[in-house]
Amino acid sequence: MAVLLLGEVTNGELSVDATAKAVNAVKGLGDVTVLCAGSSAKAAAEDAAKIAGVAKVLVAEDARYGHRLAEPAAALLVSLAGDYDHIAAPATTDAKNIMPRVAALLDVMVISDVSAVIDAETFERPVYAGNAIQTVKSKDAKKVFTVRTASFDAAGDGGSAPVADATLADDPGLSTWVSDQVAESDRPELTSAGRVVSGGRGVGSKEQFEIIEALADKLGAAVGASRAAVDSGYAPNDWQVGQTGKVVAPELYVAVGISGAIQHLAGMKDSKVIVAINKDEEAPIFQIADYGLVADLFQAVPELTQKL
Amino acid sequence: MKVLVPVKRVIDYNVKARVKADGSGVDLANVKMSMNPFDEIAVEEAIRLKEAGKAEEVVAVSIGVKQAQETLRTALAMGADRAILVVAADDVGTDIEPLAVAKILKAVVDAEQPGLVIAGKQAIDNDMNATGQMLAALLGWSQATFASKLDIDGDTAKVTREVDGGLQTIEVKLPTIVTADLRLNEPRYASLPNIMKAKKKPLEEKTAADYGVDVSPRLEVVKTREPEGRKAGIKVGSVDELVSKLKEAGVI
């Protein structure tokens, strides 16, 4: 049994956290080969080789893989698929774009957001915004799936896997990259941050979101938002924590002005310590918070920022 | 240009899903069902393209149980021109997998020849986030997923996508498949006169067998269970108490 794992490479850099968590999820299934693809990918491949449990690294360095386009990446994975029983990736937006395409090209069903690997055919995954956990058994010859990284610890380092060039696949040439608008930020990345401070509809406006950001900066935390805050235009969508956004599991999660809709809880309830600050003492967020403070956030949050 | 919009009948967004005691699935009997919220955004975008003179016809299609015709009537009331219902299951608890849905949609696309397919990025029941990508694969088309902005210009579409870390803009040749993310638009509510008018719009009924597609699942659902609960902690009375508790817990 062998596993092909698509490493998360952005602008030539490996997301070690996401990739190492996915390695840990799949390493029981067989020898793990990590594929690093990008317009520059050699450095990422060197980093992937150091992850404990990786047997081999394949590198596909070419401009066609440089902008996260699904069609060339899927074509590459399909061309390599013959040697593997399992084809997996951390469930990032790139992988969610690419992996279902790979599965359909192989005529197999994709298994999205795997939260536990039971055996070579059987997987657990959350459905209904995390309100239910389904165990599914795949009848397909190859299993194509994405891994919910928040459900797994990262594999350690200390590996020294050999790195080889992958044979490139033809570029279907169906789409072209135009531009990226990457939010400039010195803050940690949301899904791998050790601390997250999130604001909800209670924050009231985009301007007032600054008090959330100030607390986050004091804590060295990433900033998150509820779907209600994103819908209301207070925060950008890539801050969204929840079933339709990002799933996080930091050491400390501070929910400010967030009522605790089910779809939000699905994205953060695996956090180690949860703090909720909300003026409504009936808010459902208090049912899962380790420490709840019933208070006006506009007084409590600046005070907390000052006292930390 | 014709725009095809697949819509799915799912548990209403505001209803909490409950796992059946025997672990056989989620209880959908006597539960309010609605159009998948991301599909509403897709329908809205298609109608806006028609209103802007960039599309001539909007066709909604739903695959599932017979009751999905209510979902299609909602799409028609919002402004879709006609609808196709592909009956592929008898039991409301049966979820047709994205791969089978994509195969049926491919057959519908072959018959209808749309210039654009706009789908929701994810259904809020199975949370697979797969149908659009799978349809693109089967058709050999480009895919522009998780769209927050769509501009059609002649035979190309410029699509801004929600990706980790920010936004990405790509250009794809038509025909293409776009999947709608949250911020693409705010769907309209259907007015009462439009709901009445929708009852007279054409709704064609087909079956999966008409398209020769086998919808038997590839993934056997072994069991469905409640997620592990999390116990409520304590309420603190002040910011000072919160700070000291966090210090005790060793997280600050």
Side-chain angles (χ1 to χ4, degrees), chain A residues 36-112:
Chain A
C36 291
S39 55
S40 93
K42 290 212 165 80
E46 295 300 332
D47 285 343
K50 291 180 197 143
I51 298 172
V54 174
K56 189 179 172 185
V57 176
L58 287 174
V59 54
E61 190 171 85
D62 190 85
R64 78 191 74 165
Y65 304 121
H67 295 291
R68 311 169 164 195
L69 298 176
E71 302 90 351
L76 175 64
L77 281 159
V78 169
S79 74
L80 297 169
D83 297 335
Y84 304 93
D85 310 293
H86 294 87
I87 301 161
T92 59
T93 49
D94 284 356
K96 288 176 180 176
N97 189 24
I98 295 165
M99 298 304 270
R101 189 174 180 104
V102 171
L105 290 171
L106 294 171
D107 192 28
V108 304
M109 185 52 207
V110 72
I111 310 166
S112 306

Side-chain angles (χ1 to χ4, degrees), chain B residues 4-186:
Chain B
L4 188 75
V5 187
V7 296
K8 186 175 185 182
R9 178 181 186 266
V10 298
I11 191 167
D12 186 83
Y13 184 73
N14 293 310
V15 176
K16 186 181 187 312
R18 298 205 181 273
V19 176
K20 286 195 232 172
D22 65 357
S24 63
V26 165
D27 193 359
L28 295 176
N30 306 314
V31 166
K32 187 184 178 200
M33 305 292 278
S34 299
M35 188 190 297
N36 178 40
F38 288 105
D39 301 350
E40 281 186 352
I41 297 172
V43 172
E44 175 66 36
E45 195 66 16
I47 296 164
R48 288 187 191 185
L49 285 174
K50 190 183 171 192
E51 288 167 348
K54 296 197 170 173
E56 281 89 50
E57 191 184 27
V58 176
V59 182
V61 54
S62 192
I63 294 153
V65 291
K66 214 171 163 87
Q67 291 88 325
Q69 60 170 274
E70 294 159 21
T71 314
L72 288 169
R73 290 290 174 203
T74 305
L76 294 170
M78 287 174 73
D81 297 292
R82 63 188 172 88
I84 303 167
L85 171 65
V86 184
V87 178
D90 300 323
D91 177 0
V92 291
T94 305
D95 187 41
I96 309 297
E97 287 175 352
L99 180 62
V101 170
K103 286 180 178 181
I104 293 170
L105 287 174
K106 178 184 185 294
V108 173
V109 166
D110 288 343
E112 294 283 339
Q113 299 286 314
L116 176 65
V117 177
I118 311 180
K121 77 161 180 177
Q122 176 175 351
I124 62 163
D125 52 2
N126 66 30
D127 282 325
M128 277 288 185
N129 187 341
T131 301
Q133 297 90 313
M134 291 190 132
L135 176 60
L138 298 178
L139 288 164
W141 289 8
S142 56
Q143 64 189 53
T145 52
F146 324 146
S148 63
K149 194 163 184 282
L150 169 64
D151 284 315
I152 305 282
D153 184 14
D155 65 347
T156 60
K158 202 182 257 190
V159 181
T160 301
R161 307 179 52 238
E162 304 268 10
V163 296
D164 290 336
L167 298 169
Q168 176 194 54
T169 302
I170 61 171
E171 201 168 85
V172 289
K173 279 245 178 307
L174 300 182
T176 191
I177 290 162
V178 173
T179 74
D181 212 323
L182 213 55
R183 293 193 298 178
L184 185 59
N185 60 52
E186 265 186 52

Side-chain angles (χ1 to χ4, degrees), chain A residues 14 16 19-20 23 34 46-54 155-161:
Chain A
L14 183 76
V16 176
T19 307
V23 168
V34 176
E46 295 300 332
D47 285 343
K50 291 180 197 143
I51 298 172
V54 174
D157 52 13
S160 57

Side-chain angles (χ1 to χ4, degrees), chain A residues 95-260:
Chain A
K96 288 176 180 176
N97 189 24
I98 295 165
M99 298 304 270
R101 189 174 180 104
V102 171
L105 290 171
L106 294 171
D107 192 28
V108 304
M109 185 52 207
V110 72
I111 310 166
S112 306
D113 262 331
V114 166
S115 53
V117 177
I118 310 293
D119 62 34
E121 301 170 329
T122 318
F123 306 88
E124 277 190 358
R125 56 181 303 270
V127 293
Y128 290 89
N131 281 304
I133 308 293
Q134 221 170 44
T135 306
V136 294
K137 189 171 177 180
S138 170
K139 298 171 195 163
D140 285 317
K142 285 186 198 298
K143 324 307 183 210
V144 176
F145 60 100
T146 59
V147 173
R148 169 170 285 218
T149 51
S151 302
F152 298 91
D153 294 327
D157 52 13
S160 57
V163 178
D165 285 326
T167 307
L168 306 188
D170 286 339
D171 181 0
L174 295 166
S175 52
T176 38
W177 171 80
V178 177
S179 64
D180 286 329
Q181 292 156 260
V182 179
E184 289 292 329
S185 172
D186 295 331
R187 296 194 184 108
E189 198 266 320
L190 187 55
T191 53
S192 58
R195 295 169 177 174
V196 174
V197 180
S198 287
R201 205 202 309 261
V203 179
S205 72
K206 193 176 176 183
E207 291 68 35
Q208 290 171 151
F209 225 83
E210 278 173 19
I211 69 167
I212 304 296
E213 298 179 56
L215 176 58
D217 289 343
K218 190 70 177 274
L219 282 165
V223 181
S226 70
R227 177 171 168 169
V230 172
D231 274 348
S232 307
Y234 305 166
N237 193 43
D238 59 305
W239 289 4
Q240 192 197 145
V241 172
Q243 187 72 356
T244 54
K246 299 209 165 61
V247 179
V248 302
E251 293 288 311
L252 174 65
Y253 188 90
V254 185
V256 180
I258 291 177
S259 64

